[in-house]
Structures are given as structure tokens and as C-alpha cells.
């Protein structure tokens, strides 16, 4: 079940002077706007208002309330006649519901929500095989891609069931990987740790190998009964005349398509109360969070020693895991989905006819795409304040990027130290995510900038307050056609402001984007366009005048609480691999309090997440969902 969260509902603060609603006023709102269709036995959509008439329903029926808020906020309810309620009225209702429901739900303390059994997604699968067999192959390419769910990431349990197509592909890939590994010296010496020899039958040798291999593959200790079926597989292959090693690889292939390998299975909690997760499940959660792969030997040892609930120990462990190369995968998967910069490789690629030099320069394109990824990782390794994502005195530089910026960067010109962390000159325009071409390009059209798209991107990706979806049938922007006098973007967009319905959304969206107009669609700086100076001034809804990117960042800094909540929501959703529940949003409050106490330090966010109730605990049986049928067997 998905809940819209606080931040998702706050399409920017209400204008000053907007009254706080009361419970009684909310009842009044529902009666006058909704009762017509939502009363009695024939209530539309099964949504009955008289089940929401007392304050305790905020706690007993939170989903009904949040559904109502979501439909109202999106302009879907009441249906049609969008003019019936203003954006402010919708926001006011939605924000009241959100605050009140959270207040009611969180007052009882944070509880863990049910976690679902899930398949390894294709990146996790590929990385796990890599670490397990010590082979370096990009197996992900051979697997179907995963859709995204939850907080917008492709590791969300909601989407990771096993279809027949998946089973077939995973079987194919397991065969490919074991065939490959059986010919590699490194993997063979890692896996084939015994051979039939004096005093050791081939059955016994195979048993020894599998006994050592299976706990790694299944990421937890295995019982004798778990080993037996694989020894049987070995025997069957032997009896068909396969030589010893080949028969062992056959058994291993069987392990690689076992649900214990393919799925992240946590032993169910038999109790009706929540409990601490077992150490091995916790080790897996940690390593799939920060590495996107299986626990290494040290992590497994630490789990066996039962040390994963020790705060101080965990802090050290997290630091070590971030410094490990494997955290690069985390940085890439997280940030490219959070900022949507993955789309630069597909439908958001800048137009090659308009930007031929950029399109032709593969190194530059790769530097552009990697810049936010490496920046993200450095912020965490260096434990810098999270506000560096809004504005920063340093960035990731390369020679190609410096040329692209047309800015002097104090680069160390040693080729091996590229890309590198550079301190930016005081007047630099490149601090923070919004100075990065990857971000500026992905929030543009391939052929022109759009203050609307960039504004919506800032509201969504940075502040976590996405604007409601645009109404249907809005006429497209008139493009600057040849012949007529070119008009500036601002002139073309003033049409929105003239119409009150359009203005209700666009006065909230566009100002953020106008301040970024100096960056062209590939993030290069420009002072004019088509012979006219760029107009980068705008006025935020609260009256703040902003003028260019520096002022924009200052305005975002003033709203850093929204940004931090958004980042925390995203990262907790990624870490848990599922959409957040209302209970999780109570945990987010606790994590944010810790982050603030630690001056917004980046590692305190990861520590807060790893130490949080939903990460450390397992819900009681009562709230466990029935297992998905298709998730049972490959
Ligand atoms: C003119 C009739 C009408 C009015 C007025 C109306 N609704 Fe609805 N509502 C519907 C219909 C029809 C459906 C079922 C179709 C659908 O879900 O879109 C529905 C479905 C719903 C649902 C249930 C579906 C879901 O998303 O879970 C909710 C909640 C809802 N409306 C909330 C409201 C609220 C809150 C108001 C008042 C602000 C309101 N509606 C006003 C006609 C109306
Ligand atoms: C409910 C909020 C809302 C309302 C009302 C609204 N819009 Fe939008 N509009 C958006 C959002 C959000 C986008 C960005 C869509 C996207 O991400 O693709 C957008 C995009 C646009 C764009 C594309 C911008 C570009 O650079 O090409 C135009 C043009 C536009 N709107 C015009 C209008 C006009 C004219 C009206 C009034 C008739 C209007 N909008 C009403 C939310 C709204």
C-alpha cells in the first residue's frame, strides 16, 4: 500500500495568511464538495464520507484520508470543473490531512512495516555472481530490465517478482556464468576447494565444496538438509559420466537458480510482535544497500559474531563500506534514478544536430554523466554536509568538463587523477547539483531549455514537492519560428501568467526554472540567446525576488528542510527496496532529527537509516503480507 507523504503533498508552502484548517472545517469542506457523490449505499468508487466523521478515523482509517487528499491535490476530485476549487484550497486540505494523519499515526512510536520477499534485480544479480564466482562479466545486459516502483527505484520489491520470462533468462545466465567460471583459474581456485584424493571419495569432496559454497550463495548458514539436494545433483551428473569438476559446476548451477539465491529471503517472524532482524538478514540489507551485492567475508563474519546492532561498530563498518569500490554502484544507481540522469542515455539525450561537438565527444558525455555520481560518492566518503548537493565549494572536475564550463578549474593534470575533486573558484557557477550539465540537460528538452521543466524538476527532485500533473489539452508553447522576431522564453511563457487557471500552477513552477536560464540545454553558460540578453530574474510565490543561479541556491538553502526530507525519503526507500509507508514516515522524522544534530553530515544520514526501526526490525506476523504466489519457485 502506498501512502503519499508529507513532502509529496506540499506543493510548496501555502501563501502567507492561509488559515490552518480544523477538523470541523474539514468536515465542512467534504460536505460541500464531496457529499453529493460520496454518501450512502451508492457512494461513488466505494468511498463513503460518513466513515470519516470522527477524529479517531485519522488513526483507524489513514489510507482513506490519504487517498482523499491525493485525489483532491491532483485535481481529480471533485471531478471536472477544475475551477470549482483553487490550487490553494486543494493544497490546504491535502496538507491538513497529511499533518493530521501523521500526527495520529506517529504518536504511537515508530513500528516496522512488513518487508516483502524480493528477487535480486538484474544489477544486484550480476554483481552477486561477480563477487561469488570472482568473474568479471556484465551479466546484467543478458537479463530483462526491471521496472521501477516504490520511491522510484528499480530495486523495489513491488516490481521484483519472477515471471516465466525471468526464470528462463536466469537459467540461461546461470549456465553461461558457470560455464565461464569453470574455465577461469581464479574462480576455479575459489570454488573447487577439494578434490577426490587419497582418503576422500568424490561424493565427500563435492560435499565439502558445496558446504563452503552454499552459505555464501544463500548469504546465511545452511543446514545439512540444505546441502543434500545439491550433492544429489552432483551425483546425477557424475552418473551420467561427467568428470568431477563438471559435475560440481552442474550442482552449483542448480544453486544459482534456487530461490535462496535469487531472492532476498528473510526468515519469517513467527511472533505477533515486531522483533530485531536476524544478523544475516541485516548483513544482506546493508550490503545490498551500500554495495548492491552480497556481503563479503568480513561482513558475514561480523554477522556470525552478532555485532550488527552495535552503533559504534556499525559506524565504522559503514565508513569502510563507503570507501570500498563497490559503493560506486550504489552511488550510480541511487543518484541516476533520483535525479533521472539515466535518461540522458535515452530520450533526454541532447539533440545531435544542434550540439554536434557534444554529441561527438564520447569522453565528454561520459564525464558529464559521471559527474553527479562521483560527486555524490565524494560527499559521502568525505562526510560533507548534505547541503553540498544544493551548493558546494567543490565539485568533480576533468579537463573535458573544464573546457565545457569554459572556467578555470585548479585541476591536477596528472592523467591518472582524472576525474578528481576540485575546489571551485569563489565566483564559480558550478557548485552543487544545479551547476552540473547532466542535471541541466535532463531537465531540458533535447533541443531547448524549458523553465517549466527545470522548475518542475527542482520542485520534484530537490524539494520533493512535485507539481500536480498538468491538465489535458494545454496548447504547446509557440516555438520561435523563422521569419517572426524571436521572442524570449520569458515572453513566450507570460501567456501562462495571464490566465488565472494556468497561473495557479505556473507561478509556482516557472520561477525556479527562469533563474537557470543562463545554462543552455547542455549546461554551458550563456549571457544571451538569439542576440537578446538572458532574463534570469523571477519572483517566487512568497515574493522573494531571485536573480540567477546563486540567488536560486540561496532560496533553496532556506528550504533545506524540504530538501533533506526528500533525500531521506528517497534513500530510505532505496535502502528498504520498497515504497514507504506512513509508519516509515515516522522513522524519517527520527532520522532527520539525528541528521540535524550532526550538522547535516552525509554519513549521519546513512547511519540514521541503518539504525532506523524499519531497517533493523521485522514486523510481527499479524502485519506480514501473504507471499506472492509467483515469488515461490523459479
Ligand atoms: C460529481 C461526483 C463526485 C464528486 C463531487 C466527488 N467525487 Fe470522488 N469519485 C467520484 C467517482 C465517479 C469516483 C469513482 C471513479 C474514480 O475513482 O475516479 C470517485 C472516487 C473517489 C475516491 C475513491 C477512489 C480512490 O482513489 O480510492 C475518492 C477517495 C474520492 N472520490 C474522493 C473525493 C473527494 C475527497 C471529493 C470531494 C473533494 C470527491 N471525491 C468529490 C465522483 C465524485
Ligand atoms: C495543475 C497544474 C498546472 C496547470 C493548471 C497548468 N499547467 Fe502547464 N504544466 C504543468 C506541469 C507540471 C508542466 C510540466 C510537464 C512535464 O513535466 O512534462 C506543465 C507544462 C506546460 C507547458 C510546457 C512547457 C514547455 O517548455 O514547453 C506549457 C506550454 C504549459 N504547461 C502551459 C499551460 C497553460 C497555457 C495552462 C493553462 C491553460 C497550464 N499550463 C496549466 C502544470 C500545470
Amino acid at each position: 500500500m502506498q501512502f503519499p507523504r508529507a513532502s509529496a503533498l506540499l506543493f510548496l508552502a501555502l501563501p502567507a495568511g492561509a488559515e490552518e484548517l480544523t477538523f470541523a472545517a474539514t468536515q465542512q469542506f467534504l460536505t460541500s464538495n464531496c457529499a453529493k457523490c460520496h454518501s450512502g449505499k451508492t457512494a461513488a468508487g466505494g468511498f463513503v464520507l460518513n466513515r470519516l466523521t470522527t477524529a479517531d478515523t485519522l488513526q483507524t482509517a489513514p489510507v482513506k484520508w490519504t487517498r482523499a487528499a491525493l485525489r483532491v491535490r491532483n485535481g481529480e476530485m471533485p471531478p471536472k470543473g477544475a475551477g470549482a476549487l483553487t490550487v490553494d484550497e486543494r493544497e490546504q486540505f491535502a496538507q491538513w490531512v497529511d499533518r493530521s494523519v501523521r500526527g495520529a499515526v506517529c504518536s504511537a512510536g515508530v513500528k516496522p512495516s512488513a518487508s516483502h520477499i524480493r528477487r535480486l534485480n538484474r544489477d544486484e544479480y550480476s554483481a552477486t555472481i561477480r563477487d561469488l564466482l570472482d568473474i568479471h562479466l556484465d551479466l546484467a545486459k543478458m537479463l530483462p530490465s526491471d521496472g521501477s516502483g516504490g520511491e522510484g527505484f528499480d530495486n523495489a520489491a513491488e516490481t521484483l517478482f519472477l515471471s516465466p520470462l525471468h526464470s528462463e533468462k536466469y537459467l540461461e545466465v546461470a549456465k553461461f556464468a558457470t560455464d565461464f567460471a569453470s574455465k577461469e583459474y581464479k574462480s576455479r581456485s575459489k570454488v573447487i576447494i577439494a578434490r577426490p584424493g587419497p582418503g576422500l571419495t568424490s561424493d565427500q569432496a563435492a560435499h565439502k565444496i558445496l558446504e563452503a559454497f552454499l552459505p555464501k550463495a544463500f548469504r546465511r548458514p545452511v543446514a545439512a538438509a540444505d546441502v543434500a539436494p545439491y550433492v544429489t545433483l552432483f551425483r546425477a551428473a557424475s552418473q551420467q559420466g561427467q568428470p568431477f569438476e563438471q559435475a560440481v559446476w552442474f550442482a552449483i548451477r542448480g544453486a544459482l537458480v534456487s530461490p535462496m539465491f535469487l531472492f532476498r529471503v528473510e526468515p519469517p517472524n513467527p511472533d505477533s510482535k515486531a522483533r530485531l532482524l536476524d544478523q544475516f538478514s541485516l548483513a544482506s540489507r546493508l550490503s545490498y544497500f551500500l554495495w548492491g551485492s552480497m556481503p563479503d567475508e568480513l561482513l558475514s563474519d561480523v554477522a556470525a559474531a552478532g555485532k550488527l546492532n552495535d552503533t559504534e561498530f556499525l559506524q565504522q563498518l559503514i565508513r569502510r563500506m563507503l570507501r570500498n569500490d563497490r559503493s560506486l554502484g550504489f552511488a550510480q544507481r541511487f543518484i541516476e534514478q533520483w535525479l533521472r540522469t539515466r535518461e540522458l542515455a535515452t530520450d533526454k539525450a541532447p539533440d545531435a544536430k544542434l550540439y554536434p561537438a557534444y554529441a561527438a565527444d564520447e569522453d565528454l558525455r561520459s564525464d558529464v554523466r559521471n559527474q553527479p555520481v562521483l560527486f555524490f560518492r565524494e560527499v559521502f566518503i568525505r562526510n560533507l554536509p548534505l547541503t553540498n548537493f544544493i551548493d558546494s565549494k567543490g565539485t568533480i572536475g576533468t579537463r573535458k568538463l573544464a573546457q565545457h564550463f569554459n572556467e578555470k578549474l585548479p585541476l591536477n593534470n596528472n592523467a591518472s587523477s582524472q576525474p578528481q575533486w576540485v575546489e571551485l573558484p569563489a565566483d564559480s557557477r558550478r557548485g552543487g547539483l544545479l551547476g552540473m550539465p547532466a542535471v541541466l540537460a535532463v531537465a531540458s528538452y533535447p533541443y531547448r531549455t524549458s523553465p517549466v521543466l527545470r522548475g518542475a524538476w527542482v520542485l520534484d527532485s530537490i524539494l520533493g514537492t512535485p507539481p500536480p500533473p498538468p491538465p489535458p489539452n494545454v496548447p504547446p508553447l509557440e516555438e520561435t519560428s523563422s521569419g517572426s522576431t524571436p521572442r524570449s522564453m520569458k515572453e513566450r511563457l507570460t501567456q501562462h501568467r495571464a490566465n488565472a487557471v494556468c497561473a495557479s500552477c505556473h507561478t509556482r513552477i516557472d520561477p525556479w526554472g527562469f533563474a537557470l536560464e543562463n545554462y543552455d540545454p547542455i549546461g554551458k553558460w550563456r549571457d544571451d540567446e538569439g542576440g537578446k540578453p538572458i532574463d534570469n530574474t523571477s519572483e517566487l510565490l512568497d515574493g522573494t525576488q531571485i536573480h540567477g543561479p546563486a540567488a536560486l541556491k540561496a532560496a533553496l538553502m532556506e528550504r533545506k528542510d524540504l530538501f533533506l526530507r526528500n533525500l531521506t525519503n528517497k534513500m530510505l526507500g532505496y535502502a528498504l527496496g520498497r515504497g514507504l509507508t506512513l509508519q516509515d514516515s515516522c522513522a524519517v522524522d527520527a532520522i532527520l532529527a539525528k541528521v540535524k544534530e550532526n550538522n547535516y553530515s552525509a554519513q549521519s544520514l546513512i547511519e540514521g537509516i541503518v539504525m532506523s526501526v524499519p531497517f533493523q526490525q521485522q514486523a510481527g506476523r499479524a502485519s506480514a503480507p501473504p507471499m506472492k504466489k509467483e515469488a515461490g519457485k523459479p
Side-chain angles (χ1 to χ4, degrees), residues 445 448 450 452-453 456 467-471 474-477 495-496 499 501-502 504-506 509:
Y445 290 109
R448 68 160 163 87
S450 163
V452 181
L453 292 196
V474 169
L477 263 198
Q495 188 192 348
H496 297 198
N499 178 327
V501 175
C502 317
S504 65
C505 278
H506 283 279
I509 303 172

Side-chain angles (χ1 to χ4, degrees), residues 463-619:
L463 296 175
T465 57
N473 307 327
V474 169
L477 263 198
E478 164 205 337
E479 297 295 337
T480 40
S481 53
S482 53
S484 68
T485 358
R487 294 200 297 138
S488 76
M489 183 60 73
K490 194 140 196 193
E491 285 163 341
R492 281 189 278 154
L493 281 175
T494 39
Q495 188 192 348
H496 297 198
R497 312 299 184 73
N499 178 327
V501 175
C502 317
S504 65
C505 278
H506 283 279
T507 50
R508 295 160 191 244
I509 303 172
D510 309 2
W512 298 100
F514 278 123
L516 294 168
E517 271 294 87
N518 285 111
Y519 300 104
D520 77 2
I522 51 172
K524 271 179 175 294
W525 187 266
R526 56 186 183 182
D527 288 307
D528 44 59
E529 190 192 13
K532 283 195 173 181
I534 292 280
D535 183 352
N536 63 8
T537 57
S538 61
E539 183 182 319
L540 298 178
L541 198 65
D542 68 359
T544 313
Q545 300 286 329
I546 54 174
H547 192 213
L552 170 74
K553 289 179 208 168
L556 289 174
M557 278 296 198
E558 279 175 24
R559 292 158 175 81
K560 63 174 177 290
D561 284 354
L562 280 177
F563 163 70
L564 291 166
R565 177 172 288 278
N566 179 39
L567 179 59
T568 306
N569 280 330
K570 295 270 173 202
M571 203 176 279
L572 182 63
Y574 180 89
L576 297 172
R578 59 173 172 77
L580 299 187
T581 64
L582 260 178
Q583 280 295 337
D584 295 324
S585 66
C586 310
V588 167
D589 291 338
I591 297 167
L592 277 172
K594 287 228 176 83
V595 168
K596 268 188 206 161
E597 247 169 58
N598 286 288
N599 299 316
Y600 309 107
S601 80
Q603 288 175 9
S604 70
L605 173 60
I606 294 193
E607 286 161 20
I609 287 173
V610 170
M611 253 77 102
S612 73
V613 167
F615 196 89
Q616 293 264 335
Q617 296 188 21
Q618 192 174 24

Side-chain angles (χ1 to χ4, degrees), residues 29-30 33-34 36-38 44-45 47 67-68 71-72 77-79:
F29 175 95
L30 291 171
N33 295 297
C34 325
K36 188 162 66 157
C37 307
H38 289 292
F47 176 69
R67 280 303 296 178
R71 299 293 297 260
V72 168
M77 289 291 147

